Amino acid sequence: MLHLLQGLLYVSFAFPGWRRARRDRENRRWSRKLLSILSIRAHFENLPQTFPERCLLVLNHVSWLDIILVNATHPAVFIAKSEISRWPVVGSLVSRAGTLYIERGSRSALRRTNERVSQALREGVLVACF
């Protein structure tokens, strides 16, 4: 729980002042620490060292650990259902970390989300969706 609270403090107060590279570094470090706390060791095969600029990762979602594993290797901005933003603690954490939300069933909201995703890709941010 302390690690989650530390993450919440980072994204609330430090992230806004950090450049993208520093946020990615801290996100990677925090995610690796969480995996360590949970005694999870990951083994990756054929993992690329880098992704092309303007890359959208489309992944198969198995569990909430998928997000932590991605961020431990290649920090990304995720696209998630809007309900997650209302989850206690985690909702605030992922919202402040830059998660892009999609309101399912709303075409106008879908257009706004597409615009945010396009903007993030133009800025060279790795965007991931499940």
Side-chain angles (χ1 to χ4, degrees):
M1 195 57 157
L2 287 174
H3 192 65
L4 287 176
L5 292 175
Q6 178 195 33
L8 190 54
L9 288 173
Y10 272 140
V11 297
S12 297
F13 299 107
F15 261 41
W18 289 343
R19 293 179 188 215
R20 166 68 45 197
R22 173 97 188 262
R23 286 193 304 257
D24 285 351
R25 235 183 359 264
E26 292 301 322
N27 193 346
R28 184 179 299 110
R29 185 194 61 73
W30 187 89
S31 297
R32 288 178 178 175
K33 177 69 175 173
L34 181 59
L35 291 172
S36 174
I37 289 167
L38 298 172
S39 298
I40 295 173
R41 282 188 289 167
H43 174 76
F44 300 97
E45 292 184 21
N46 303 318
L47 183 70
Q49 292 298 312
T50 61
F51 287 101
E53 193 172 326
R54 298 185 179 111
C55 183
L56 175 66
L57 286 178
V58 180
L59 307 156
N60 186 21
H61 197 24
V62 178
S63 88
W64 62 272
L65 285 172
D66 300 339
I67 296 162
I68 306 304
L69 288 165
V70 169
N71 279 331
T73 57
H74 297 291
V77 167
F78 287 85
I79 301 170
K81 60 185 179 181
S82 60
E83 295 87 350
I84 291 173
S85 68
R86 295 185 288 278
W87 290 2
V89 182
V90 172
S92 183
L93 177 70
V94 300
S95 293
R96 292 171 190 255
T99 298
L100 303 173
Y101 293 107
I102 185 165
E103 291 179 45
R104 297 184 287 185
S106 169
R107 286 187 184 262
S108 61
L110 180 59
R111 276 193 290 281
R112 286 191 303 275
T113 301
N114 283 341
E115 289 168 9
R116 288 186 203 120
V117 169
S118 294
Q119 180 62 35
L121 291 170
R122 282 192 297 275
E123 292 172 2
V125 175
L126 180 63
V127 178
C129 65
F130 294 104

